[in-house]
Amino acid sequence: MSERFRTLFGATVASALALTVATGAQAETWKYSLEEAIDEVQGVYATKFKEHIEANSDHTIEIFPFGTLGESNDTTELAQMGAIHFATASPGFTGSLIPELQVFLLPYVLPEDHQVLADFYQTSDTINEMLAAKYEEKSLHLLDMYPEGEVVMTTKEPVTGPADLDGVKFRVMTSPMLIETYDAFGATPTPLPWGEVYGALQTNIIQGQENPMFFVESTKMYEVTDYITYAGHNTFTTAVVANKGFYDGLSEDEQALVAEAADVAYNHIIDYTKGLTERSEEKILEAKPSMNVTVLDDEQREPFREAAEQVKEAFVEEVGGDAQAVLDGFREDIEESKERVEGN
Ligand code: 6CS
């Protein structure tokens, strides 16, 4: 082969390959990381997403459950770099990367009703346009945000008001607004990655944490705490993101398939999480009948609601940027969802 021919041949193969990758026509394995186990909410969503992609294309999805690729911040970074294609990345952690996402962490902002929540995440322009654009700036494409369940506090001593949290080292995810929240709630907030929480409760380095009931059950948080308190202050939100370069390089058909898989998985997770809190509470009480479960009444929630006001102010002041616009947008979008759902 002459040198000139070899060069031309090489260039042709290289550009043909580049074209195949760019159009995505080649069957590929797409890597998808979770912050949870495969049988927990994020795993149930990812499994549905995988089934839809694999049933409708030649691509395969390889799911990496929590613990296989590192903590949440590690896997978000891997997705930003394009080392993995998809990741579940919760605002409890990504609030440090995109500060406006911390709107999801503000107490008493999200609606409590399951159907209203389901409508809100899907239809909110604040989420799907304004916040989605902020993900793009960080090399991530937002596919879905969804609720995982009402957050409860689990502690070693009873909690009926902020005074009971005095001196309690309370673990929160690492986004600053969670630290602000538990400071306002009277506790000593202690940000930790998830992998350290069980051990820290067991060794009494911390004495409390918050999470949705299904996670308290599946990760056996009830073994290392004795009290569960519903204050109705928040719902755990997560996000599914794709590496932006990877997503932008997909063909239109493939982008549509990915969006369709996200829709199918979203509807599935909304069904799956309906009543999950109650089912999980039953399982906890079966496993540990001595567990104390308290639902705070309106009067008991009032001081927490009052404390929430200063957290909202801190969000607007400390985050700056579009924080106020995002919070206003949330309020409007939530009202619209309420009208849509309750008007039906
Ligand atoms: O508390 C946490 O860190 C974890 N909680 C849930 C419900 N999912 C993943 C997250 O890492």
Side-chain angles (χ1 to χ4, degrees):
M1 208 186 277
S2 77
E3 193 56 41
R4 184 176 137 72
F5 185 73
R6 208 194 314 268
T7 312
L8 271 176
F9 179 76
T12 313
V13 171
S15 60
L17 197 64
L19 193 69
T20 330
V21 173
T23 57
Q26 212 177 26
E28 290 174 351
T29 297
W30 292 341
K31 298 186 176 77
Y32 184 149
S33 76
L34 308 178
E35 300 165 321
E36 295 174 7
I38 196 71
D39 55 355
E40 291 169 340
V41 171
Q42 293 180 8
V44 172
Y45 176 104
T47 302
K48 199 75 184 170
F49 182 86
K50 172 184 163 76
E51 282 169 6
H52 193 84
I53 296 284
E54 293 181 355
N56 294 284
S57 75
D58 291 335
H59 301 307
T60 45
I61 303 257
E62 188 180 359
I63 300 175
F64 294 84
F66 176 75
T68 54
L69 293 178
E71 292 283 354
S72 179
N73 288 339
D74 303 318
T75 51
T76 302
E77 248 177 64
L78 290 175
Q80 284 182 282
M81 285 161 32
I84 57 175
H85 305 81
F86 300 99
T88 310
S90 299
F93 298 104
T94 43
S96 305
L97 181 69
I98 305 171
E100 285 89 345
L101 286 182
Q102 296 180 100
V103 68
F104 289 101
L105 311 174
L106 303 178
Y108 302 105
V109 168
L110 288 175
E112 287 187 63
D113 182 85
H114 192 72
Q115 276 319 111
V116 177
L117 274 171
D119 184 86
F120 166 66
Y121 287 84
Q122 236 180 358
T123 60
S124 164
D125 285 344
T126 311
I127 297 178
N128 299 304
E129 289 175 14
M130 208 167 173
L131 292 177
K134 297 198 180 290
Y135 280 97
E136 298 279 321
E137 287 167 17
K138 300 291 176 187
S139 308
L140 297 169
H141 174 79
L142 179 66
L143 287 177
D144 247 345
M145 295 195 95
Y146 61 84
E148 294 197 32
E150 178 180 342
V151 165
V152 294
M153 303 180 199
T154 73
T155 49
K156 299 193 180 210
E157 300 291 336
V159 175
T160 53
D164 297 320
L165 289 173
D166 187 22
V168 174
K169 291 211 189 75
F170 200 101
R171 180 268 174 173
V172 288
M173 292 177 282
T174 52
S175 288
M177 279 306 132
L178 284 171
I179 301 172
E180 198 78 40
T181 298
Y182 274 89
D183 199 29
F185 281 1
T188 305
T190 312
L192 284 178
W194 170 245
E196 293 175 34
V197 180
Y198 190 98
L201 281 166
Q202 201 171 27
T203 53
N204 207 34
I205 290 171
I206 54 169
Q207 297 88 36
Q209 65 91 36
E210 62 159 31
N211 251 309
M213 208 57 148
F214 85 85
F215 207 59
V216 174
E217 192 276 320
S218 59
T219 62
K220 300 197 182 332
M221 285 289 102
Y222 59 83
E223 289 178 348
V224 283
T225 46
D226 296 314
Y227 294 85
I228 294 177
T229 309
Y230 289 88
H233 65 293
N234 216 345
T235 281
F236 189 99
T237 298
T238 201
V240 184
V241 293
N243 171 265
K244 177 173 156 52
F246 154 72
Y247 181 83
D248 288 347
L250 294 176
S251 67
E252 269 182 34
D253 284 353
E254 284 173 319
Q255 287 185 350
L257 175 67
V258 167
E260 197 180 271
D263 266 358
V264 169
Y266 183 87
N267 290 332
H268 182 66
I269 217 62
I270 293 299
D271 279 351
Y272 178 80
T273 50
K274 193 157 194 256
L276 183 60
T277 297
E278 292 75 10
R279 296 198 292 280
S280 305
E281 185 182 316
E282 274 171 33
K283 283 193 196 168
I284 292 172
L285 289 171
E286 255 170 51
K288 181 172 169 180
S290 64
M291 197 75 194
N292 299 280
V293 181
T294 308
V295 181
L296 299 187
D297 61 27
D298 281 344
E299 203 179 316
Q300 290 168 318
R301 288 178 188 201
E302 201 41 44
F304 288 110
R305 283 186 186 279
E306 274 168 31
E309 290 312 308
Q310 86 191 55
V311 185
K312 290 172 206 166
E313 280 164 27
F315 170 70
V316 171
E317 271 165 37
E318 286 167 30
V319 169
D322 288 325
Q324 182 72 63
V326 167
L327 184 55
D328 292 344
F330 257 44
R331 288 177 172 139
E332 269 174 41
D333 297 349
I334 289 167
E335 275 319 302
E336 282 174 23
S337 287
K338 277 187 184 158
E339 277 167 30
R340 233 185 331 265
V341 171
E342 287 157 11
N344 280 338

